[in-house]
Amino acid sequence: MLNVDISSLGPCLFRSPLHQIGSVQVPYKTEADRILYTNSVQGLQGENGTLSFEEAGPREQIFFDPPRTTVGIVTCGGLCPGLNDIIRGIVNQCYRQYGITRVYGFRYGYEGLVQRYGHTPIMLRPESVSQIHNFGGTILGSSRGQQPIGDMVDTLEDMSVDILFVIGGDGTLRGASEIAKEIARRGLRKAIVGIPKTIDNDIMYLDKSFGFETAFAEAVNAVKCAYTEACGAVNGIGLLKLMGRDSGFIACYAALAGSNVDFVLIPEVSFAMEGTTGLLEALRYRLAKRGSAVIVVAEGAGQELFQADGATDASGNKRYGDIGLHLKDQINAFFKARRMEVNLKYIDPSYIVRSVPANPQDNVYCSRLAQSAVHAAMAGKTSMLVGRWHNSFVHLPLDMVTHGRRKVDPHSELWHAVLESTGQPAMMT
């Protein structure tokens, strides 16, 4: 059975400064408030049928004394819509609800916690973050790659930081877990709270990650452009590469929303280029039948078509081959060899998709995540993250969500819906 216990720094001896607003009482939660892991009758009868997650929300008693509390915020990894919304939400919640006046932003990811890099932390106040949600990216900057855990904890000690909010993907959250373990080893009372960030929507045990709604909305616009290009030429092909290293959620949702995509290629479903049942022959048939085609491919799809070289990026992730350019070259060569005219337009909007400001739906989601994160940290919760599960905000242990990725199930209703929408063969192998 999964371990869902949340670590605590100790007894909560201070009364929360939160107060009712008019006649609206503070919706305090206790450890007895739980959200079931499963939401189906069949699930209740399984191994994890009685498993439940601790519900997020304000606690009546808190661990940290707000006037004496110092907070730090760090953003790591690739950019994602909503980062500034999270920063703004944390700062406002700390200042205006809990009365915390020392909130530092560590610049350029985990590098900002290592003093030899010389990235001076900046003081964050409500007035300095009041408009940052209107801009993409992160005002703190970001970076990839591991840093010495001991050096980062030294910085937290030197600056008397009591709470560190870590905003990032699975690699960042693994680093946060190691920071929490080093803090515990030293016998320090500091809270480490994660807020999961990934455009790919691949964090385990979450309904969705922030920024995904915005990213896929932008991707839909790119699908429309690909369709327009394909329809505007003889045997036109619109080839669109989207984000999705190991999970194809953006590609799937963008295709379903656009409703004019002919092929969706994702990491979870292998495909062959050659052969009577391969992609190229299926594409030739589609062109003969309709005169144009749109292909949406996730960046991690088709990696079995490349020779593995063992190269990794700064975060230690396997460096993938460029499937978009590979498909472009293979498709052009295939039709050229058969003396069939095609007009292929290749579109890669990856950096546009990830760098835009969050849309209103993500604005709201980020605000709720930030509020939940501050409530958890002030109650002395640590080595955990906040997320949404079955439409409720919950606390999850860091180690629980960093061992694996959420993926598109090839036997799920989602993938079946994609196959129905595109009309592509279920298997192209």
Side-chain angles (χ1 to χ4, degrees):
M1 183 175 286
L2 297 169
N3 178 17
V4 297
D5 295 336
I6 301 298
S7 300
S8 175
L9 295 176
C12 295
L13 304 179
F14 298 96
R15 183 167 179 80
S16 172
L18 303 181
H19 54 276
Q20 69 181 60
I21 302 173
S23 61
V24 180
Q25 299 287 336
V26 179
Y28 288 121
K29 304 294 181 181
T30 71
E31 277 56 50
D33 293 306
R34 315 285 297 183
I35 302 299
L36 282 174
Y37 169 74
T38 182
N39 63 350
S40 70
V41 173
Q42 293 86 347
L44 287 171
Q45 298 168 350
E47 177 187 358
N48 293 316
T50 60
L51 192 68
S52 61
F53 299 137
E54 187 176 282
E55 189 172 6
R59 267 51 178 177
E60 196 164 3
Q61 294 293 121
I62 58 177
F63 179 82
F64 290 104
D65 184 13
R68 300 180 179 180
T69 300
T70 301
V71 167
I73 305 172
V74 63
T75 56
C76 305
L79 297 183
C80 175
L83 284 167
N84 281 334
D85 298 72
I86 295 287
I87 295 169
R88 179 175 181 265
I90 292 173
V91 172
N92 285 339
Q93 189 74 4
C94 286
Y95 267 82
R96 293 173 175 167
Q97 304 305 319
Y98 282 97
I100 300 169
T101 58
R102 292 185 301 280
V103 181
Y104 292 104
F106 292 100
R107 301 164 62 216
Y108 304 112
Y110 281 145
E111 285 187 8
L113 286 163
V114 179
Q115 296 179 26
R116 61 182 170 84
Y117 285 105
H119 303 318
T120 305
I122 59 176
M123 185 69 79
L124 300 173
R125 296 182 176 85
E127 56 271 20
S128 66
V129 300
S130 62
Q131 297 300 316
I132 63 172
H133 60 296
N134 294 315
F135 302 94
T138 163
I139 62 164
L140 299 179
S142 187
S143 67
R144 295 184 183 273
Q146 302 174 359
Q147 299 297 335
I149 300 299
D151 290 357
M152 291 193 283
V153 176
D154 287 344
T155 298
L156 297 179
E157 281 201 82
D158 291 346
M159 295 184 63
S160 299
V161 172
D162 301 295
I163 299 170
L164 179 66
F165 293 104
V166 180
I167 310 165
D170 60 334
T172 300
L173 296 176
R174 283 194 293 270
S177 178
E178 294 303 313
I179 292 173
K181 290 173 183 175
E182 176 62 17
I183 286 172
R185 191 189 67 79
R186 297 188 187 187
L188 305 175
R189 293 195 168 189
K190 300 180 184 296
I192 304 296
V193 173
I195 301 175
K197 173 230 69 175
T198 166
I199 268 185
D200 295 348
N201 203 32
D202 60 356
I203 299 291
M204 297 282 283
Y205 310 110
L206 296 181
D207 289 343
K208 68 173 182 177
S209 52
F210 77 82
F212 174 73
E213 294 280 354
T214 304
F216 117 74
E218 289 296 316
V220 170
N221 291 329
V223 169
K224 293 176 182 177
C225 294
Y227 177 76
T228 300
E229 291 288 350
C231 292
V234 175
N235 290 331
I237 301 172
L239 175 58
L240 173 65
K241 185 178 80 168
L242 294 175
M243 311 288 278
R245 274 184 56 86
D246 298 291
S247 304
F249 287 104
I250 288 183
C252 288
Y253 279 93
L256 288 173
S259 298
N260 47 23
V261 175
D262 299 285
F263 298 94
V264 175
L265 308 174
I266 60 174
E268 295 88 342
V269 180
S270 299
F271 66 93
M273 296 294 295
E274 307 289 345
T276 57
T277 58
L279 172 65
L280 294 172
E281 284 295 342
L283 176 59
R284 178 161 69 166
Y285 175 78
R286 189 60 57 92
L287 287 176
K289 185 177 180 181
R290 298 185 181 175
S292 65
V294 174
I295 304 170
V296 172
V297 57
E299 62 180 318
Q303 292 305 305
E304 63 275 5
L305 304 175
F306 296 94
Q307 185 78 30
D309 59 7
T312 59
D313 61 19
S315 298
N317 299 313
K318 179 181 177 182
R319 194 178 296 279
Y320 284 175
D322 192 326
I323 187 62
L325 293 177
H326 180 76
L327 287 177
K328 175 186 175 184
D329 293 341
Q330 291 294 308
I331 291 170
N332 281 328
F334 175 82
F335 287 105
K336 182 178 180 180
R338 287 153 183 79
R339 298 181 180 179
M340 180 177 172
E341 178 189 2
V342 294
N343 289 278
L344 188 151
K345 301 298 190 295
Y346 176 54
I347 302 172
D348 180 359
S350 300
Y351 290 104
I352 296 174
V353 167
R354 75 177 198 168
S355 62
V356 297
N359 66 15
Q361 193 163 1
D362 269 326
N363 288 149
V364 174
Y365 187 42
C366 290
S367 295
R368 297 289 304 280
L369 282 172
Q371 290 169 345
S372 296
V374 175
H375 290 321
M378 290 304 292
K381 312 288 184 182
T382 189
S383 192
M384 54 144 291
L385 60 79
V386 293
R388 198 179 70 182
W389 184 249
H390 299 329
N391 291 315
S392 295
F393 289 88
V394 296
H395 299 159
L396 299 172
L398 283 173
D399 284 342
M400 177 179 164
V401 300
T402 55
H403 293 89
R405 293 178 185 270
R406 180 169 176 250
K407 294 177 178 287
V408 175
D409 181 355
H411 303 287
S412 67
E413 291 183 13
L414 173 61
W415 184 241
H416 186 265
V418 170
L419 295 179
E420 286 186 331
S421 176
T422 62
Q424 71 188 71
M427 300 291 290
M428 290 185 288
T429 57

